[in-house]
Amino acid sequence: MSLLASLDKSHMLPEKYRDMSVEQLEARVKELKSEYGKRLFIPGHHYQKNEVIQFADATGDSLKLAQLSAANTEADFIVFCGVHFMAETADILGGDNQKVILPDMRAGCSMADMADIHQTARAWVKLQQIFGDTILPLTYVNSTAAIKAFVGANGGATVTSSNAEPMVEWAFSQKERILFLPDQHLGRNTAVNLGVPLDEMAVWNPVTDTLEYEGNPLNIKVILWKGHCSVHENFTVENIMNTRRYYPDMKIIVHPECRREVVELSDMAGSTSYIIDAIKNAESGTAWAIGTEMNLVNRLIENHPDKHIVSLNPHMCPCLTMNRIDLPHLVWSLENLESAEGHNIIKVSEEIAKDAKLALDRMLNRKL
Ligand code: 13P
Ligand code: SF4
């Protein structure tokens, strides 16, 4: 059998959905939403396309979506318009009776893929040899369920870009040092805001299995996993310089997944919800360069015609994996909610879910 023929086709969109017009697809979503009523819940992340977000029952950043997943016990079906780790979180926090569905199984996250559990277990052994029992692991929610479980089992917690500062503060009340997975930039930006000097931060390289640091390791307070977001890494110091040169009155606001030097030269930095609120509350006539994902930037441009808004990087693209969720995939999911084959269901094993929930609950119960 050829490789192509052996590929599992059950995750591929059937041709008939590609042949439907936008009007037909939209009508079908409306029909199915009204048929299922409260039995169906569609959460949508702010980075989703407009064609999808228009049908979301609730929208939010990663924190809000995790809180909503924990609170919504009513729906039988959660069709998650976001990426794989978000759907896993919804499954971990949801009830046993709830089915979580990801409309396109290819909607992963390159950052989450940068920390696998085997690399993490190897790193932990080496770090314990160097530092003993002085490290608390924290993971950005943008990580696999297995990483969350590892963190939960070792006394740590998840964080999001909205609550990273108080969560890191909490971690330092527990242990002398932290291991921050998998986004080095969010970890570094957060620690700097809390007054940790850069020379007290090291980087763990999971490819070479080594600690990148010059100096006495005992001075290290923060160990940053060498991972990043492939979208936010595309904002550069040059983008900032160009914006300052051509639009001297423009305010620059970026997501903390951007590199340290970009955040440092910006006027403001915060999660997607923080950026949305800042633009909403800004005075009419003000000018903004935004350093975050393009679907959100375009939506802010559309929603605020009274403000001059541009992307900090004029050549920016949307997040490719967030963009996998489109109208045809949404309709395909909704038409198969009760299919016997269990279409695109995200199910975290009980063993992993138990420890991952510990990490999530330590964050959610703090009411930050
Ligand atoms: P927030 O939703 O926490 O702002 O994170 C952005 C992001 O990259 C989600 O994948
Ligand atoms: Fe992952 Fe970055 Fe896309 Fe968010 S924007 S899903 S962190 S790749």
Side-chain angles (χ1 to χ4, degrees):
M1 202 190 324
S2 75
L3 176 65
L4 211 58
S6 67
L7 284 176
D8 178 5
K9 296 231 169 52
S10 66
H11 294 318
M12 285 166 65
L13 183 75
E15 206 54 43
K16 70 169 187 175
Y17 295 104
R18 295 199 192 284
D19 297 336
M20 288 168 77
S21 69
V22 172
E23 292 72 27
Q24 286 170 321
L25 290 163
E26 288 185 342
R28 193 73 185 117
V29 178
K30 284 181 194 149
E31 199 179 340
L32 287 157
K33 279 191 70 156
S34 86
E35 189 181 308
Y36 278 97
K38 286 210 177 336
R39 290 184 67 209
L40 168 67
F41 180 55
I42 307 183
H45 188 270
H46 292 309
Y47 292 165
Q48 289 286 293
K49 295 175 173 190
N50 277 350
E51 67 185 53
V52 167
I53 212 85
Q54 63 175 325
F55 294 114
D57 294 310
T59 58
D61 65 0
S62 308
L63 178 62
K64 184 165 169 211
L65 295 178
Q67 288 165 335
L68 286 169
S69 304
N72 185 309
T73 47
E74 209 175 11
D76 296 331
F77 306 102
I78 298 173
V79 176
F80 210 108
C81 294
V83 290
H84 193 270
F85 71 80
M86 297 177 179
E88 279 189 332
T89 299
D91 178 55
I92 294 163
L93 296 173
D96 292 343
N97 56 324
Q98 295 184 301
K99 246 195 216 176
V100 178
I101 293 130
L102 186 64
D104 187 338
M105 290 303 237
R106 299 169 306 165
C109 164
S110 55
M111 180 202 284
D113 291 342
M114 287 178 200
D116 90 25
I117 190 60
H118 305 292
Q119 292 172 326
T120 308
R122 278 203 307 271
W124 192 244
V125 171
K126 286 210 177 177
L127 291 171
Q128 299 285 304
Q129 282 164 0
I130 303 172
F131 300 108
D133 182 22
T134 63
I135 315 167
L136 195 85
L138 287 180
T139 185
Y140 194 17
V141 286
N142 300 26
S143 53
T144 63
I147 297 291
K148 291 185 179 81
F150 167 85
V151 167
N154 285 287
T158 58
V159 315
T160 75
S161 52
S162 316
N163 61 20
E165 281 185 32
M167 288 309 297
V168 169
E169 266 182 328
W170 166 79
F172 279 128
S173 73
Q174 307 293 304
K175 289 273 170 83
E176 221 175 294
R177 330 190 136 75
I178 61 165
L179 167 64
F180 193 98
L181 295 129
D183 183 12
Q184 58 168 315
H185 301 309
L186 178 65
R188 189 176 289 112
N189 288 322
T190 306
V192 166
N193 288 349
L194 290 171
V196 181
L198 286 169
D199 62 9
E200 292 180 9
M201 298 186 212
V203 171
W204 178 264
N205 184 330
V207 177
T208 57
D209 270 340
T210 52
L211 193 62
E212 296 178 353
Y213 185 70
E214 283 168 21
N216 180 352
L218 293 181
N219 293 333
I220 297 170
K221 284 264 177 299
V222 175
I223 302 154
L224 303 162
W225 191 267
K226 199 169 191 168
H228 62 265
C229 164
S230 18
V231 174
H232 290 92
E233 268 221 342
N234 292 327
F235 296 103
T236 61
V237 168
E238 198 191 346
N239 295 150
I240 303 242
M241 296 307 175
N242 286 338
T243 306
R244 300 277 187 226
R245 186 176 320 134
Y246 297 115
Y247 305 106
D249 295 332
M250 205 166 238
K251 276 223 179 317
I252 300 179
I253 185 167
V254 300
H255 195 282
E257 286 173 18
C258 294
R259 301 162 201 263
R260 176 70 213 141
E261 53 274 28
V262 169
V263 170
E264 198 162 7
L265 292 170
S266 300
D267 299 301
M268 297 159 84
S271 75
T272 49
S273 297
Y274 173 89
I275 294 173
I276 292 168
D277 288 345
I279 301 295
K280 195 164 81 190
N281 298 329
E283 273 180 38
S284 197
T286 49
W288 296 84
I290 306 181
T292 195
E293 199 272 344
M294 216 46 222
N295 284 327
L296 175 57
V297 175
N298 282 334
R299 189 169 307 123
L300 288 168
I301 293 172
E302 276 164 40
N303 290 349
H304 300 279
D306 59 324
K307 292 159 200 165
H308 178 202
I309 301 171
V310 296
S311 169
L312 178 59
N313 176 345
H315 307 294
M316 199 64 192
C317 301
C319 170
L320 286 177
T321 48
M322 283 276 180
N323 252 21
R324 298 260 192 217
I325 313 293
D326 57 11
L327 205 42
H329 282 88
L330 181 59
V331 174
W332 180 37
S333 295
L334 295 178
E335 285 193 345
N336 285 281
L337 290 179
E338 291 173 272
S339 89
E341 302 86 50
H343 176 80
N344 286 4
I345 289 177
I346 303 296
K347 186 80 209 138
V348 178
S349 78
E350 252 178 59
E351 199 192 338
I352 289 182
K354 180 171 68 64
D355 287 341
K357 191 165 182 315
L358 287 177
L360 285 159
D361 283 347
R362 284 188 192 114
M363 171 183 81
L364 294 169
N365 293 339
R366 289 187 65 72
K367 303 273 174 276
L368 302 166

